Amino acid sequence: MLRTVKYLSLLVVQFIGALLGVGALFIAFYAVSTPLSEFESAGWRILGMAFACGMMFPFVLQASLIQSYMPLPLSMGVTRRGFFAGAQAAKVMLAGGIGVCLLLIQLAVKWMFGVDALFTGTMLVGLFAVLLLGASVGEALGFVSLRFGRVGMIVFFVLIVGGYAVIGGIIGYAGAAGALDGMLDAMLRFLSNAWALGGSAIVLAVLLGWLDWLMCRRIPVKG
């Protein structure tokens, strides 16, 4: 188990190191190529792209980690419990590492471009929890694909799209009923409360982790 945790953790460290290198090169390119009069707008563009990509990376990387690396260890004698423990450690490290990357990018952009940070103080707690939730959803996709194949992946995406459709329908109905402003105010208050947002995201991540373990126990060994 410890060997699997170490192996998957090293993979995550390599991912994070690569992201830091690409981010540093990207910021340096903008700093050299942007006129001084456009530095502030360039800084906002960098932050926007960094956080948009940062929210996507945990999902993509954790899904890839499960799909690509689980079959080989199982075929070499690693237990499902051992691999699952390693995946959980990798998931937490991935969310924390990407959170640190985003924090460093904020500091670099503030120093070089004079743009204030988007997330500070307790808001970083909510940011980490949302990143952890993104990694948990990606992990669920990885286990679904290994347990149920292509059909499982299609059903998974249909459920996600269906969930968004339901949320969109509720918002649309609230707008038609004249209650949209109150709903949006409540949503903004919730999103601005880092502890409520973080707690909700962590609860969902734990529930997804429990479902992942149920699927992991039944994934067949190949090879």
Side-chain angles (χ1 to χ4, degrees), residues 24 56 63 74 121 129 146 148 170 189 197:
M56 176 185 67
L74 290 186
L146 291 175
F148 302 105
I170 293 173
R189 285 195 300 269
L197 177 63

Side-chain angles (χ1 to χ4, degrees), residues 5 33 93 104 120-121 123 149 154 206 213:
V5 171
S33 61
M93 289 183 61
L104 293 176
T120 57
M123 295 178 68
I154 293 174
V206 171
W213 169 240

